[in-house]
Amino acid sequence: MVSLGRMALIFILALGLLSGIAGAQDSVSITIRCIASPPEEDWRCNNFAEVEADVEADLGIEIDLNLIQDNASWGDYKNEFVLASEAGEAPDIILSGHEDIGAWAPAGFIIPLDDVIGMHGEFDDIVPSLWDSHGYAGQIWGIPQDAEARPIFYSKLLLRDLGWSEDDIESLPDRVVAGEFTFADMLATAVEAIDEGVVDAGNGWWHRPSNGPDFLYYYYGHGGEVLDMEGNLVVDREAMVAAYELLGGAVASGALRSDIIGVDWNEVWHPSVGSADTVLFAAGGTWNWPNWAINYVADKGGDEYLFENIGLTLIPAMGTGKAITLTHPLTYMISSGSEHPDVALALIAAITTPEANNRHAIDSFHLGILNAQLESEAYLGNALLSGAHYMLDHTTSLPNHPGWNAWSGAYFLGIQAVETGEADAAGAADIAIAQMQNELGDSITVR
């Protein structure tokens, strides 16, 4: 294993102030590995081909650019990088979820970038909150590639049926930000809609039907933390119980289906939420929008129908009194095995521009990573993205820690227990914490 200090030294020596090793060679080979759902996410790797000539001219070299991009499963994709790193055959640049920093940095697979980020002015305009998800052990290990928000979608169609005025409907996002419409208010509205016959029982509010990052904001929303100030894993029992009380209470009130976990995404969840006529509130992601427009409501007008009948807002305030969302940026990381990290970073900088990031953001319905994109006509022209960009000012993220998957899996066990009636909130917390302690041992502290 290569030590962090050693990796930093290797990086600085290899950098050569962009005029040494790389500049002295006729051709530099750079391999970049990306995961993408075609065709809307293909710019994750293809953007590099667009800037290759410019970087070659800037550095005075030729680049032999090898782009490897497919839609492999995440598990296979990440395991491929681990095995390639262990064999000394890793790509120069790997695109993956920011949470992988927590495993790959201490393993010595990627290099810290703190000392060199300042050499490229393009990185100065990255939305500040996105850097929070790229740290580990006091250093920055990646450059954001995209962002998103995980909002509450609400059916304007069904709120009209419930008697809401157009002003009430359109002002909902602002009222959520101000704390005037809380999560409790949302669930109360959901129950009212059921009582009034606007929606069926269980269809007042839906969350995702499988484990994923989204569930963390119920814990964050009650003041819970996953990492302490020193970067160690913790679990706040009080916040976890409160999160489980919220979820179990939603089922008990009739607002949420007790069997929501496990319903089919494509056969049930997306058509029910995207149609706007079945579910009143639903926690989803901004990238769901084009899926609905293309695959579920195209015959009704696609985007036009969605804008008329569905709105989106931050996750309303819970115990902390603050509305939040969660962003899961994908990030470009540079392999510790790269022979030319200076060239790799120059390529990443060259696509960290409004023009390049707009190509990906607009085609894939991900939020832009740069403040300047809000001054871009192309980005502003997309009402969903520009309208949701403010959510990055209220975002949270997953922790970067090797034990995160174990923590998350145990937390989800508690969610399943409380929603199916297997345990009350306190009992569900006992189940989750026991699982965490079993898997993580002394590396987690229970508060």
Side-chain angles (χ1 to χ4, degrees):
M1 181 181 298
V2 182
S3 70
L4 302 187
R6 170 94 175 139
M7 287 191 294
L9 178 60
I10 291 172
F11 187 88
I12 293 169
L13 291 174
L15 185 63
L17 298 180
L18 295 181
S19 63
I21 298 174
Q25 300 189 30
D26 293 331
S27 179
V28 168
S29 178
I30 297 290
T31 297
I32 304 174
R33 183 74 171 99
C34 301
I35 189 170
S37 173
E40 67 271 14
E41 294 178 347
D42 283 350
W43 288 114
R44 284 178 171 160
C45 250
N46 292 351
N47 255 333
F48 288 103
E50 297 290 315
V51 302
E52 179 182 3
D54 292 337
V55 176
E56 287 177 328
D58 288 344
L59 301 185
I61 60 173
E62 290 186 8
I63 300 174
D64 178 15
L65 193 62
N66 181 27
L67 304 179
I68 306 173
Q69 180 164 258
D70 56 34
N71 195 22
S73 72
W74 275 109
D76 290 343
Y77 178 82
K78 295 180 182 188
N79 191 48
E80 172 195 301
F81 176 71
V82 170
L83 293 176
S85 296
E86 292 174 342
E89 299 173 352
D92 296 88
I93 298 171
I94 178 71
L95 173 76
S96 198
H98 74 86
E99 72 277 11
D100 292 318
I101 290 171
W104 294 348
F109 296 156
I110 56 176
I111 59 176
L113 304 176
D114 304 69
D115 294 335
V116 291
I117 286 176
M119 298 184 67
H120 296 278
E122 293 91 340
F123 302 140
D124 294 342
D125 192 45
I126 289 176
V127 174
S129 63
L130 296 181
W131 289 119
D132 295 341
S133 60
H134 287 68
Y136 178 80
Q139 294 180 291
I140 298 296
W141 298 82
I143 306 296
Q145 185 271 325
D146 70 9
E148 21 83 326
R150 296 167 186 252
I152 290 289
F153 291 103
Y154 56 93
S155 170
K156 298 179 182 180
L157 179 68
L158 295 175
L159 287 176
R160 293 184 191 111
D161 290 345
L162 191 59
W164 282 36
S165 69
E166 290 302 315
D167 285 344
D168 288 339
I169 293 171
E170 297 304 325
S171 68
L172 182 57
D174 291 335
R175 289 187 285 130
V176 168
V177 170
E180 298 168 2
F181 187 88
T182 67
F183 208 96
D185 294 326
M186 185 190 75
L187 291 179
T189 303
V191 171
E192 180 187 0
I194 293 167
D195 291 343
E196 294 294 325
V198 174
V199 297
D200 292 336
N203 291 348
W205 168 64
W206 282 10
H207 57 56
R208 61 181 294 131
S210 61
N211 194 13
D214 312 44
F215 287 109
L216 193 54
Y217 42 56
Y218 309 116
Y219 176 75
Y220 279 162
H222 288 96
E225 293 182 328
V226 182
L227 299 178
D228 63 18
M229 294 296 293
E230 288 73 41
N232 302 309
L233 279 178
V234 298
V235 56
D236 295 317
R237 191 177 191 282
E238 183 177 349
M240 182 166 281
V241 170
Y244 291 157
E245 285 177 342
L246 180 149
L247 296 168
V251 172
S253 71
L256 176 67
R257 290 174 54 160
S258 62
D259 63 346
I260 188 65
I261 293 176
V263 306
D264 188 88
W265 277 104
N266 296 322
E267 296 297 325
V268 179
W269 203 93
H270 286 304
S272 298
V273 177
S275 65
D277 60 7
T278 302
V279 180
L280 182 57
F281 298 105
T286 51
W287 65 92
N288 296 148
W289 192 277
N291 180 30
W292 299 338
I294 295 169
N295 297 314
Y296 297 99
V297 296
D299 59 337
K300 297 180 180 180
D303 270 343
E304 184 176 349
Y305 174 83
L306 292 178
F307 278 115
E308 175 67 21
N309 293 295
I310 293 182
L312 62 162
T313 183
L314 290 168
I315 309 300
M318 292 170 255
T320 64
K322 296 180 180 179
I324 60 174
T325 184
L326 188 140
T327 304
H328 177 243
L330 294 195
T331 181
Y332 293 117
M333 293 166 271
I334 299 178
S335 167
S336 58
S338 174
E339 295 182 1
H340 305 291
D342 55 329
V343 179
L345 190 64
L347 283 164
I348 296 172
I351 65 167
T352 308
T353 64
E355 179 184 10
N357 200 257
N358 276 348
R359 286 193 285 262
H360 170 73
I362 293 170
D363 280 5
S364 67
F365 274 68
H366 282 81
L367 299 184
I369 62 169
L370 303 168
N371 289 311
Q373 285 173 263
L374 283 176
E375 302 171 4
S376 161
E377 183 176 346
Y379 194 78
L380 286 174
N382 187 301
L384 176 70
L385 298 181
S386 58
H389 197 89
Y390 80 95
M391 293 186 179
L392 294 179
D393 294 331
H394 303 269
T395 197
T396 59
S397 62
L398 301 180
N400 295 332
H401 192 282
W404 162 243
N405 286 335
W407 196 105
S408 175
Y411 174 53
F412 187 63
L413 282 179
I415 292 172
Q416 292 175 297
V418 76
E419 291 191 2
T420 59
E422 176 187 342
D424 61 12
D430 290 339
I431 291 171
I433 292 172
Q435 180 70 12
M436 290 178 186
Q437 291 175 317
N438 181 54
E439 292 200 32
L440 297 165
D442 294 339
S443 64
I444 187 167
T445 298
V446 181
R447 292 174 171 172

